[in-house]
Amino acid sequence: MDVNLLHHNQRPVVNTIMHDISGYDKHPAGQNIVVAIMSYKGYNMEDAIILNKGSIERGFGRSTYYRPSIAEELRYAGGLIDQVCIPDKDVKGYKTEKDYRFLEDDGIIYPEAKVREGDVVIGKTSPPRFLSSMEEYSLVSSTRRESSVNLKHGEEGIIDFVLITENEEGNKLIQVRIRDERVPEIGDKFTSRHGQKGIVGMIVPQADMPFSAAGIVPDLIFSPHGIPSRMTISHLIEMIAGKVGALAGRYINATTFDAEPEERLRKELLSLGFRESGVETLYNGQTGEQYEAKIFIGSMYYLKLKHMVANKIHSRARGPIQLLTRQPTEGRAKEGGLRLGEMEKDTFVAHGASLLLKERFDSDKTVVPVCESCGIIAIRDNYKNKSYCPVCGENVDINDIEISYAFKLMLDEFKSLGIYPKLQLESKY
Ligand SMILES: [Zn+2]
């Protein structure tokens, strides 16, 4: 299982009875930060948030991502067994010497090794899947196949911990834990405790952030458009309560139906020398000019969510394809393509980008011979260097046409259902 650990956890200033019941003070998962509700050059529109670079450098949202890699020496029928080792060069599927460079003599990586995608973490070989009757008696290493555990596409980190043990069946079991420090970056996800999640849209140097008359600079800027449609009034009240708690140096009870009344918090805020509404005059960090509008600013508890761009970033030019449809594989883990769906197609059509559209839909193009007489896909015999129709024989016109492989697959499926898919060929010009 993946684990994410925040580095500098804090007790929430504003909490509820559930925090006591669950012992939340013993395992807090967030940080108290100063939040301002305003827009910032459009970089926090549509749920995006702005982060203060200074806050990040002081440790806000810094976490470590841990991921385990596991390998087991499985036993197979006939006394065959997996072997954790540095694979021999004659093993089927041997990668390259470079991929195995971190492995020690026992075939396992050492702690604190800095690894990137493709690097082997646990070297392993397995017996061949199918044994022909001859090979059963002459087991040479060349029939073994490579089955090492390596870092997947786009992964990197430092080997944190290596464990060698046995499982319930007595098989040798190796666990390697990889660690990666994650400093907040554009695209990472944060949330308050009101379901107000947002993606970092820009990281602003502290000098360019807005500041109050007292010199307070927000750690995070939240878009005001996130409030009316979602009606998270609690989000606003927490900002006032957090502000009072931080200024007065006390924790604030926010339990539903049993919270400190808003009026009392506002009075206390007033007595602490601030406007009771929670707004303040802020100044533009870049020009020094005073903002015309008063800005709602306060302190609240923010959490870092586990969705980080570092785990999601992905691109592909050419790559693996599916065996059945010959179309690109799907998903980041399989180094897949990015689907150009129905709606994306419409935007291409709207722009008149027909050649680009054709290129996108060409990912599984094939050339097949088609019989002009019966309209069925013919057979190409490269050995005799001629094509013939399985129905009409050799003395018919057969033309090569370009179609997508998925379409050819569909025609085959029709045939298997007893449906005759007849192609009528016309000249292109
Ligand atoms: Zn035919």
Side-chain angles (χ1 to χ4, degrees):
M1 272 290 284
D2 299 19
V3 175
N4 284 284
L5 285 182
L6 190 69
H7 288 189
H8 311 288
N9 306 275
Q10 295 176 348
R11 292 172 62 177
V13 170
V14 181
N15 53 42
T16 70
I17 191 170
M18 282 310 295
H19 287 80
D20 296 331
I21 292 168
S22 64
Y24 193 78
D25 285 353
K26 296 216 162 56
H27 53 84
Q31 289 160 314
N32 298 292
I33 57 167
V34 176
V35 176
I37 299 189
M38 60 183 288
S39 74
Y40 190 93
K41 295 180 176 184
Y43 279 92
N44 61 343
M45 67 178 182
E46 294 287 359
D47 282 7
I49 51 167
I50 306 290
L51 282 190
N52 179 341
K53 191 159 184 246
S55 312
I56 293 171
E57 284 161 359
R58 276 173 243 127
F60 171 70
R62 201 166 285 217
S63 62
T64 300
Y65 172 69
Y66 294 95
R67 210 184 59 74
S69 289
I70 300 159
E72 195 182 334
E73 277 190 351
L74 283 173
R75 285 166 205 281
Y76 301 90
L80 297 168
I81 189 168
D82 284 341
Q83 205 173 13
V84 172
C85 60
I86 303 174
D88 283 332
K89 276 186 180 151
D90 51 2
V91 161
K92 196 177 162 195
Y94 186 84
K95 298 173 199 295
T96 61
E97 229 168 279
K98 183 178 166 251
D99 291 329
Y100 300 106
R101 69 192 183 283
F102 291 118
L103 301 187
E104 299 198 304
D105 292 340
D106 59 0
I108 305 167
I109 200 163
Y110 55 87
E112 300 302 317
K114 218 176 158 207
V115 285
R116 295 191 60 248
E117 74 175 64
D119 289 341
V120 173
V121 174
I122 305 163
K124 197 176 82 172
T125 61
S126 301
R129 276 207 184 85
F130 306 104
L131 288 174
S132 63
S133 52
M134 283 306 289
E135 281 170 326
E136 229 168 303
Y137 300 102
S138 59
L139 275 178
V140 284
S141 68
S142 63
T143 61
R144 290 185 73 84
R145 63 190 161 87
E146 142 81 22
S147 59
S148 297
V149 180
N150 58 344
L151 251 67
K152 288 192 201 78
H153 184 59
E155 283 186 339
E156 61 175 340
I158 292 162
I159 302 302
D160 189 58
F161 180 73
V162 177
L163 175 76
I164 303 169
T165 182
E166 272 182 7
N167 68 2
E168 298 94 329
E169 287 101 51
N171 297 337
K172 189 176 182 183
L173 183 77
I174 291 115
Q175 280 196 44
V176 175
R177 193 166 68 201
I178 298 154
R179 119 173 86 82
D180 192 20
E181 187 180 337
R182 295 286 170 83
V183 178
E185 55 181 324
I186 290 174
D188 284 0
K189 197 173 188 177
F190 289 84
T191 182
S192 70
R193 290 172 293 177
H194 313 271
Q196 283 285 17
K197 55 191 195 286
I199 302 291
V200 179
M202 183 157 67
I203 294 169
V204 180
Q206 174 147 347
D208 293 339
M209 289 287 281
F211 56 91
S212 74
I216 297 293
V217 180
D219 299 302
L220 185 148
I221 301 176
F222 180 88
S223 168
H225 304 293
I227 300 290
S229 54
R230 284 169 248 258
M231 299 180 283
T232 48
I233 309 306
S234 53
H235 193 277
L236 303 173
I237 299 175
E238 188 193 333
M239 281 179 69
I240 290 187
K243 196 168 180 175
V244 171
L247 288 164
R250 66 188 181 88
Y251 293 102
I252 298 205
N253 179 15
T255 308
T256 318
F257 306 124
D258 192 31
E260 276 192 46
E262 189 191 336
E263 296 73 46
R264 210 164 79 202
L265 292 171
R266 286 176 181 277
K267 288 244 168 60
E268 193 173 343
L269 193 57
L270 191 64
S271 74
L272 288 160
F274 288 82
R275 278 197 187 79
E276 65 171 341
S277 62
V279 299
E280 284 181 43
T281 302
L282 254 58
Y283 299 86
N284 186 321
Q286 289 178 315
T287 66
E289 286 170 328
Q290 186 179 318
Y291 286 118
E292 265 183 52
K294 299 278 178 284
I295 306 294
F296 189 66
I297 182 168
S299 167
M300 67 187 312
Y301 198 64
Y302 254 79
L303 310 142
K304 186 184 192 183
L305 293 172
K306 66 176 187 179
H307 308 280
M308 286 173 279
V309 268
N311 297 327
K312 302 191 170 189
I313 193 163
H314 173 58
S315 70
R316 144 170 177 159
R318 272 158 295 164
I321 52 164
Q322 281 162 8
L323 198 65
L324 183 68
T325 62
R326 296 201 188 165
Q327 289 184 354
T329 52
E330 208 164 350
R332 191 175 100 106
K334 285 174 276 181
E335 214 196 319
L338 296 167
R339 175 173 295 278
L340 189 106
E342 204 69 15
M343 293 166 81
E344 292 78 13
K345 177 212 73 179
D346 291 343
T347 66
F348 280 28
V349 171
H351 280 269
S354 51
L355 286 178
L356 178 59
L357 185 72
K358 181 167 187 300
E359 189 183 284
R360 293 292 89 186
F361 283 91
D362 256 5
S363 62
D364 63 340
K365 85 165 175 204
T366 34
V367 174
V368 289
V370 174
C371 171
E372 290 265 22
S373 142
C374 67
I376 265 186
I377 292 186
I379 296 161
R380 175 77 197 152
D381 188 335
N382 280 321
Y383 183 67
K384 287 182 187 159
N385 195 27
K386 60 184 171 188
S387 302
Y388 64 95
C389 175
V391 183
C392 318
E394 290 186 13
N395 296 321
V396 279
D397 280 345
I398 288 170
N399 274 302
D400 286 345
I401 60 159
E402 191 182 283
I403 55 169
S404 81
Y405 190 83
F407 179 63
K408 190 242 163 207
L409 183 71
M410 188 180 72
L411 297 181
D412 291 346
E413 285 177 357
F414 280 154
K415 283 182 219 162
S416 75
L417 290 166
I419 297 168
Y420 172 20
K422 182 170 183 175
L423 298 177
Q424 283 184 348
L425 303 189
E426 267 178 41
S427 177
K428 220 171 174 182
Y429 308 104

